[in-house]
Each structure stands twice: as structure tokens, then as C-alpha cells.
Amino acid sequence: SDLVALCEDKILRILANKDAVYNADGDSQLTSTNNVLGQTIPFGGEYGISKNPESFASESYRVYFTDKVRGAVMRLSKDGLTPISDAGMKDYFKDNLKNNDLLIGSYDDKKDEYNLTLPITGTTVSFKEDVRGWVSFKSFVPDNAISCANDYFTVKDGKLWKHHDENVGRNTFYNLFDSNHYSTINVILNDMPSSIKSYHTLDYEGSQSRVE
């Protein structure tokens, strides 16, 4: 029931119809107030949305946005602010966010992914919650995007396009097949045979695997 304000250099929570009274031990208690807006409480962390409100996207109780000045992609959730760009992509975003004037954020309800489009870089990168990481680089670069009724739509050159259509071939975006971007998977494994490894996103199904 509170108001969340995303400022350039700070993310704030503004109490609605209530104030916080702090005890001597630092704990807070909420009291009602006649004011429409009560106290302003900052979230922990020196992050804001810079000057890119178009990077904002929300899903359920989570909010995603970018902080171009600090080279970070952020998630605001029940546990506060988290720089999700640190999940294996810290250097990438520090190098590329500053090169893009627009940072277009959207949430794909069908795939449960936060898509961040970097127009100058010419790619869209996707973050997925269930693996806590960035799972894909995509070649389509929309002007805007939105989810509605479990479908994902993007806008390109004034036209609305529906994604994940089974009647359209793979790697075909905006009626054009992208021959430079065939679907590929890069598997990165630790090549040290003497090390014990734990794979969190790799499964094997079948009979006894070959052991050499």
C-alpha cells in the first residue's frame, strides 16, 4: 500500500496514510496519519534509475531497472535492492550501458524473463529468476515491449509484433530471418578432471553414462 519512488540516485519508499515511530532500540512501529503521504524511507544501497525510466519493468512483487551511472542492472524485491548485473555480467554492463542512450526494459510473462534491450549495442539480454542469471542474448531490438494475457509483444517501426508464435520459423523477427544469429548454446565446463564439480543447470537422463 506504499508508494515506491525511483529517483536518479536513490530508491525511496513513501508511506501512505501512516508514519513510522522509532523506539529507542531502533525498531519502528507504524501509526496512522491524516496526511496522504507519510515519511520517506530509502532502500539500502546507493542506486537509482539514473535517467532511464524506460528500463523499468515490473512482475508480481519484483521491479527491474537499470542504473546507467553505476553500470548496474537492479532488482527491487521484498529483500530490498539487488544488483542482478553481478550475476556473471558485471563487466559487460559496465562497458555497454554507458554506450546506449536508451535502455528498454520489459518483462516476458510467457518465458518469465526480464528483457533489457541495448539499441546501440544491437542486442537484447534476458535475466531469469529460477536460475538467478542471464540466460540469453537475443538479436531482436524493439522500440518498446510489453506483456499482456501471458503473451509477449514488441513494437518495431510503429507496428505491434507477437513473439513465441509456433507458426513462425525460429530466428525470424519482424518478418526477417536473421541468418547471422542461428540459435547456439555455449557450454562452459571446468576442464580440471581432478576437481569435484556441482552442476546446477545440467541434467542427464538415460542409462549408465560412459566413463573413461
Side-chain angles (χ1 to χ4, degrees), residues 121-165:
T121 306
T123 189
T124 296
V125 289
S126 300
F127 179 85
K128 201 172 180 68
E129 284 290 340
D130 58 358
V131 298
R132 300 284 181 176
W134 299 87
V135 295
S136 183
F137 286 86
K138 299 171 180 175
S139 60
F140 63 87
V141 181
D143 300 325
N144 214 327
I146 192 173
S147 285
C148 181
N150 203 35
D151 282 319
Y152 184 63
F153 301 91
T154 62
V155 178
K156 183 70 172 179
D157 298 328
K159 295 182 179 179
L160 186 68
W161 300 83
K162 180 183 177 182
H163 288 241
H164 313 307
D165 192 330

Side-chain angles (χ1 to χ4, degrees), residues 171-187:
N171 300 308
T172 301
F173 300 105
Y174 314 126
N175 280 347
L176 296 173
F177 174 73
D178 193 348
S179 59
N180 295 322
H181 293 88
Y182 285 97
S183 295
T184 59
I185 298 176
N186 294 329
V187 181

Side-chain angles (χ1 to χ4, degrees), residues 4 9 20 32 37 55 92 98 101 104 126 135 145 158 185 205:
V4 177
D9 297 308
S32 61
L37 297 179
S55 67
Y92 177 86
K98 62 184 178 182
D101 294 329
I104 303 167
S126 300
V135 295
I185 298 176
E205 182 179 347

Side-chain angles (χ1 to χ4, degrees), residues 12-169:
L12 309 170
R13 178 166 63 99
I14 304 174
L15 302 181
N17 295 319
K18 52 185 175 289
D19 274 328
V21 177
Y22 292 91
N23 300 327
D25 58 1
D27 292 336
S28 62
Q29 293 182 347
L30 296 178
T31 61
S32 61
T33 176
N34 294 328
N35 300 325
V36 176
L37 297 179
Q39 289 170 292
T40 300
I41 303 173
F43 284 97
E46 297 297 324
Y47 294 100
I49 199 171
S50 297
K51 295 184 178 181
N52 298 101
E54 72 279 359
S55 67
F56 174 89
S58 64
E59 185 274 329
S60 185
Y61 56 86
R62 290 185 288 261
V63 167
Y64 303 89
F65 59 94
T66 63
D67 189 342
K68 179 179 177 180
V69 173
R70 295 162 183 84
V73 183
M74 305 298 301
R75 178 189 62 209
L76 175 61
S77 186
K78 292 180 179 179
D79 57 354
L81 283 171
T82 305
I84 58 175
S85 52
D86 288 354
M89 295 278 283
K90 186 174 182 178
D91 289 339
Y92 177 86
F93 286 115
K94 283 188 177 295
D95 293 339
N96 286 277
L97 290 184
K98 62 184 178 182
N99 297 327
N100 291 266
D101 294 329
L102 287 176
L103 300 169
I104 303 167
S106 60
Y107 195 85
D108 186 346
D109 284 344
K110 198 173 187 70
K111 297 295 184 181
D112 293 325
E113 294 174 348
Y114 170 64
N115 290 332
L116 178 61
T117 299
L118 310 173
I120 301 300
T121 306
T123 189
T124 296
V125 289
S126 300
F127 179 85
K128 201 172 180 68
E129 284 290 340
D130 58 358
V131 298
R132 300 284 181 176
W134 299 87
V135 295
S136 183
F137 286 86
K138 299 171 180 175
S139 60
F140 63 87
V141 181
D143 300 325
N144 214 327
I146 192 173
S147 285
C148 181
N150 203 35
D151 282 319
Y152 184 63
F153 301 91
T154 62
V155 178
K156 183 70 172 179
D157 298 328
K159 295 182 179 179
L160 186 68
W161 300 83
K162 180 183 177 182
H163 288 241
H164 313 307
D165 192 330
E166 296 295 336
N167 298 319
V168 179

